[in-house]
Amino acid sequence: MTRSLALAAALVVALALLALPRGLPAQTGGEAAATPAPSPSPAGAAATPGKRIPGGPGGIGMRVYNLRYKRVDDAYMLISPYVGPRGTVKMQPAQKMLTVIDAPENLQRISRIIGTYDVPPRSVEVQVQLIMASSGAAPAAPAPPPIRGVIDRLTALSTRWNDYRLVGQARVLGTEGERSSLRVGDDYRVDFRIDQVSDETRVIRFKPFELQRKEPSVEGAERYTPVMNTVLNLRDSQLFIVGASKIEASNRALFMTITASLQKP
């Protein structure tokens, strides 16, 4: 009988094992073995906003520019027109850094622009002449050689003036990004800042460019009042003539010539 009971018990266990669902892990020590969770698919990884997964169609790239010589906000204004509709620009002025995300062709263009812009400051020789023009009696003496070419150009513009006198002339070597000052004659002074030099167009930008006149002072200290304050964009080594002022209730006018010449690096 004992043998019969043992056979019956074995048969019950065998039937119980056959009834278990297939694929379930076997139990050891009374506890179920843990099944590792499936790893997430790489395609489900979060992409950085504004960027596509590398190699994807129509992907965009990113470049970081560390400026050495120029201001970050000036560089930002320079490249902004060339950033595409999907592009973004991040400025970090404290680190002098620009981060640009855009299409590859736009990044190439922006790299060329920044490469020609972020260069050491250029030196510019600035020469200024002040010429007083008047009308009336015939001049007693011919104009001096330094202004004969200027007189020809002024005469071509207007026949009102028939007498020209050189008030003064001066030159100074200025540096891009810095202010400079020079005395012209006894009563005038020119203050300017070379704001930007374009090697591509060879245009020198002055902002500001100011002509000042010395006023009498009983205290003895020199005091200057503005005569003209403007922004100039001058081509390299080309003579520029501007009417500085017309003397009120008078038949005289003051003209100024400016020549800015880029120096070799």
Side-chain angles (χ1 to χ4, degrees):
M1 181 176 181
T2 302
R3 184 178 179 183
S4 299
L5 290 174
L7 290 173
L11 182 60
V12 171
V13 171
L15 292 173
L17 290 174
L18 290 174
L20 286 174
R22 294 187 179 183
L24 288 179
Q27 296 182 1
T28 57
E31 294 183 1
T35 304
S39 300
S41 169
T48 303
K51 294 175 62 179
R52 292 185 181 270
I53 297 174
I60 60 177
M62 179 181 73
R63 289 193 184 178
V64 178
Y65 303 95
N66 293 290
L67 302 184
R68 298 180 58 189
Y69 304 104
K70 302 299 175 66
R71 295 171 50 184
V72 171
D73 50 351
D74 290 340
Y76 172 81
M77 295 298 294
L78 182 66
I79 68 173
S80 291
Y82 303 96
V83 177
R86 296 185 300 160
T88 61
V89 181
K90 178 183 178 182
M91 291 195 304
Q92 296 174 272
Q95 290 78 28
K96 300 193 69 175
M97 184 182 299
L98 278 174
T99 302
V100 183
I101 298 174
D102 209 339
E105 59 272 18
N106 292 338
L107 289 177
Q108 292 179 3
R109 186 182 302 111
I110 290 170
S111 296
R112 289 194 298 268
I113 293 171
I114 292 181
T116 57
Y117 175 68
D118 188 38
V119 295
R122 298 293 303 273
S123 296
V124 181
E125 184 186 71
V126 181
Q127 181 175 351
V128 177
Q129 291 178 324
L130 287 178
I131 300 169
M132 186 67 73
S134 60
S135 61
I147 63 172
R148 286 178 184 170
V150 179
I151 292 174
D152 293 339
R153 295 180 60 175
L154 290 174
T155 302
L157 295 174
S158 173
T159 58
R160 177 178 179 181
W161 319 108
N162 62 351
D163 187 20
Y164 298 90
R165 178 175 62 87
L166 180 65
V167 175
Q169 61 182 347
R171 66 179 63 195
V172 68
L173 189 64
T175 302
E176 184 181 8
E178 298 182 2
R179 297 189 70 98
S180 299
S181 180
L182 67 162
R183 292 282 297 269
V184 186
D186 296 329
D187 298 325
Y188 293 92
R189 182 176 71 185
V190 171
D191 288 335
F192 62 85
R193 178 180 179 271
I194 302 174
D195 182 58
Q196 182 179 331
V197 175
S198 172
D199 285 330
E200 183 177 357
T201 62
R202 302 192 69 80
V203 171
I204 302 105
R205 177 180 175 86
F206 294 86
K207 182 181 179 180
F209 192 99
E210 184 175 26
L211 175 66
Q212 303 170 348
R213 180 175 55 237
K214 185 170 66 175
E215 299 293 343
S217 175
V218 294
E219 294 84 2
E222 290 186 343
R223 184 171 64 90
Y224 287 84
T225 58
V227 175
M228 183 191 73
N229 191 321
T230 187
V231 175
L232 296 177
N233 292 284
L234 306 183
R235 291 197 176 275
D236 178 29
S237 302
Q238 288 192 2
L239 180 70
F240 181 77
I241 304 175
V242 58
S245 70
K246 182 179 182 302
I247 311 301
E248 295 296 332
S250 173
N251 60 347
R252 298 184 300 164
L254 183 67
F255 291 91
M256 177 169 55
T257 73
I258 310 155
T259 306
S261 304
L262 282 171
Q263 305 299 291
K264 293 183 179 180

